[in-house]
Amino acid sequence: MLSASNVLRVQRIAISRGKRALHDLVTLPGRKPIVSSGTPGYSAVSGHVVTVFGCTGFLGRYLVSKLARMGTQVIVPYREEDEKRHLKPMGDLGQIVSMEWDVRNEEQIAECLRHSDIVYNLVGREYETKNFKYSDVHVSGAERIAKIAAQAGVPRLVHVSHLNASTSSTSHFYRTKAEGEERVRDAFPAATIVRPGQMYGCEDKFLNNMASWPIWWKLNHGETKIRPVHVMDVAQALTNLMTIPQFPGTISLPGPRTLTTEYLLDMVSSLTYTPPSSAPVLPKSLALALAKVAQAPWWPLISPDEVERRYIDDVDVPGDWEAVGVTPDEIENHAITYLRRYRSAENFVRPAVFPARSS
Ligand SMILES: NC(=O)c1ccc[n+]([C@@H]2O[C@H](COP(=O)([O-])OP(=O)(O)OC[C@H]3O[C@@H](n4cnc5c(N)ncnc54)[C@H](OP(=O)(O)O)[C@@H]3O)[C@@H](O)[C@H]2O)c1
């Protein structure tokens, strides 16, 4: 079987020569043949129809953009009208189809995925709300999508979990992510489970949060080990999965380096030209108590489970990047792009300076 990078290379060569080849035709059991046409780019037609649940989130926008740029018709299920507006211009006319949905509504889910040959499930939540607990989103919601996709005869399901998903984790978030994976596998045995590490990018809750609230990253004395990964690399890996015929099993996508939160805080401080935070390291019990109080606003600042996660090292497993045809980039190559906005006007154009690496 050709690897993802080879499939992509062959496609690029064929397209650049203006020829159509066998790989432009995709046949899936019980489905109409998928024929790609047109020159590559915004107006191409890949012939694929894809549903991206969780498209309105951080990762979702980059995945939709990459899929749409290949000429794929993307169904974008949304809850809030305004949350999906930015997705519409990502594809050619008629290529981005928005549909309202509720994770508890089976009919709406079935409507959203019945024409698709791949379904991506990116739905996840960092904190629990009054209406949705972790298990509603990560377990029963994920299972519902997988079951309905299987019933509808959707050939492929890609379920996005988390690098640290584990049934024995001290974090409820990670435990429900692991439970969700099991339910998805039971309902849709050929599903591809993708486990990305902590993602960084323009709208992340990582570098932006470190720049705004360093005190919450000093927990555990900055010793927690993180394997940050660029959101674009994860989005590209998910996009490439479309061209790989089948990939049942689990794919881990950690960043290329393991870094301590102390190093990352120093990096943020150097790049933004702001002095390191002089706030004390909060004891865990106090941090948990404060996080409980922070639940009062509608949009919580930090949840107790996030505090718990700040003490958990990212798992030390090899990345499956080669299998998906992507080479992940290091955080130092991109951090300045996302952190420059935190500089004062007088420092805005100064060069990027990095601290010595701790690991
Ligand atoms: N960000 C990371 O560093 C990271 C790392 C590893 C794994 N992951 C996983 O990757 C996936 C995507 O992450 P992300 O950072 O893009 O997340 P995100 O920005 O928080 O987006 C989450 C998406 O899930 C949807 N969603 C959440 N709760 C829902 C509910 N009750 N009903 C329907 N939709 C709901 C959101 O829709 P609305 O816009 O309508 O709220 C949004 O589209 C998640 O599963 C996450 O756990 C993320």
Side-chain angles (χ1 to χ4, degrees):
M1 193 196 294
L2 283 176
S3 71
S5 51
N6 283 339
V7 169
L8 291 173
R9 203 166 46 237
V10 171
Q11 281 179 339
R12 250 180 255 124
I13 293 167
I15 290 168
S16 67
R17 290 180 185 161
K19 287 183 181 164
R20 303 252 66 89
L22 194 59
H23 55 255
D24 292 324
L25 175 70
V26 179
T27 50
L28 299 166
R31 300 261 153 176
K32 282 192 288 185
I34 297 167
V35 187
S36 64
S37 60
T39 48
Y42 191 78
S43 297
V45 176
S46 76
H48 287 279
V49 182
V50 172
T51 304
V52 183
F53 291 103
C55 57
T56 50
F58 169 44
L59 174 61
R61 66 173 61 207
Y62 298 107
L63 177 60
V64 171
S65 168
K66 282 182 186 290
L67 290 169
R69 227 182 297 165
M70 290 166 63
T72 300
Q73 188 169 52
V74 192
I75 314 296
V76 293
Y78 69 94
R79 298 194 291 172
E80 185 79 32
E81 186 76 29
D82 277 348
E83 295 296 321
K84 48 90 176 163
R85 293 173 80 105
H86 60 284
L87 302 173
K88 193 81 181 169
M90 289 180 179
D92 207 354
L93 201 62
Q95 289 293 79
I96 306 291
V97 181
S98 52
M99 296 180 78
E100 199 171 354
W101 83 304
D102 183 322
V103 71
R104 294 163 294 202
N105 188 321
E106 299 196 353
E107 273 173 34
Q108 282 179 338
I109 295 175
E111 271 303 299
C112 287
L113 56 70
R114 72 192 175 102
H115 295 293
S116 297
D117 39 272
I118 305 187
V119 170
Y120 290 91
N121 180 12
L122 275 48
V123 176
R125 196 41 102 219
E126 289 286 315
Y127 49 85
E128 296 192 317
T129 63
K130 187 160 62 76
N131 295 322
F132 293 99
K133 302 294 163 211
Y134 286 135
S135 57
D136 298 325
V137 180
H138 301 152
V139 185
S140 44
E143 181 183 31
R144 199 168 295 124
I145 290 173
K147 269 189 181 160
I148 295 170
Q151 280 160 12
V154 173
R156 294 200 63 191
L157 171 67
V158 177
H159 174 79
V160 177
S161 180
H162 196 288
L163 182 66
N164 296 335
S166 161
T167 47
S168 58
S169 176
T170 50
S171 154
H172 191 27
F173 175 93
Y174 292 148
R175 286 201 303 276
T176 52
K177 278 287 190 187
E179 211 184 312
E181 288 183 6
E182 280 170 22
R183 300 273 190 100
V184 166
R185 250 183 250 116
D186 289 344
F188 200 116
T192 309
I193 311 272
V194 180
R195 290 177 162 189
Q198 177 75 54
M199 288 184 276
Y200 60 88
C202 189
E203 306 82 5
D204 68 16
K205 299 174 197 93
F206 178 51
L207 292 179
N208 286 305
N209 200 263
M210 279 192 168
S212 315
W213 297 96
I215 188 169
W216 293 110
W217 294 91
K218 290 177 89 176
L219 298 175
N220 200 20
H221 299 272
E223 286 169 13
T224 306
K225 296 189 176 74
I226 302 185
R227 305 174 76 187
V229 58
H230 196 198
V231 66
M232 295 291 188
D233 291 334
V234 176
Q236 191 58 55
L238 292 174
T239 308
N240 290 357
L241 279 176
M242 205 175 77
T243 57
I244 303 171
Q246 267 300 345
F247 212 125
T250 305
I251 298 174
S252 295
L253 300 179
R257 291 276 186 153
T258 304
L259 303 164
T260 61
T261 41
E262 186 187 21
Y263 170 80
L264 289 162
L265 280 173
D266 285 349
M267 184 190 78
V268 171
S269 165
S270 306
L271 289 179
T272 55
Y273 282 94
T274 48
S277 162
S278 56
V281 179
L282 297 177
K284 191 173 179 184
S285 53
L286 179 60
L288 284 169
L290 289 174
K292 266 191 198 131
V293 176
Q295 298 304 287
W298 172 72
W299 193 271
L301 187 62
I302 188 165
S303 67
D305 196 82
E306 281 174 283
V307 170
E308 188 61 51
R309 276 177 262 155
R310 299 282 153 87
Y311 290 81
I312 301 175
D313 289 340
D314 278 355
V315 293
D316 188 14
V317 291
D320 297 307
W321 291 101
E322 212 182 324
V324 290
V326 177
T327 307
D329 230 338
E330 301 205 2
I331 192 163
E332 285 89 343
N333 297 338
H334 299 281
I336 183 66
T337 312
Y338 308 123
L339 289 170
R340 195 182 290 278
R341 68 184 117 164
Y342 292 96
R343 289 181 170 190
S344 61
E346 73 225 33
N347 292 327
F348 200 76
V349 293
R350 288 177 73 180
V353 183
F354 293 97
R357 253 193 183 148
S358 54
S359 57

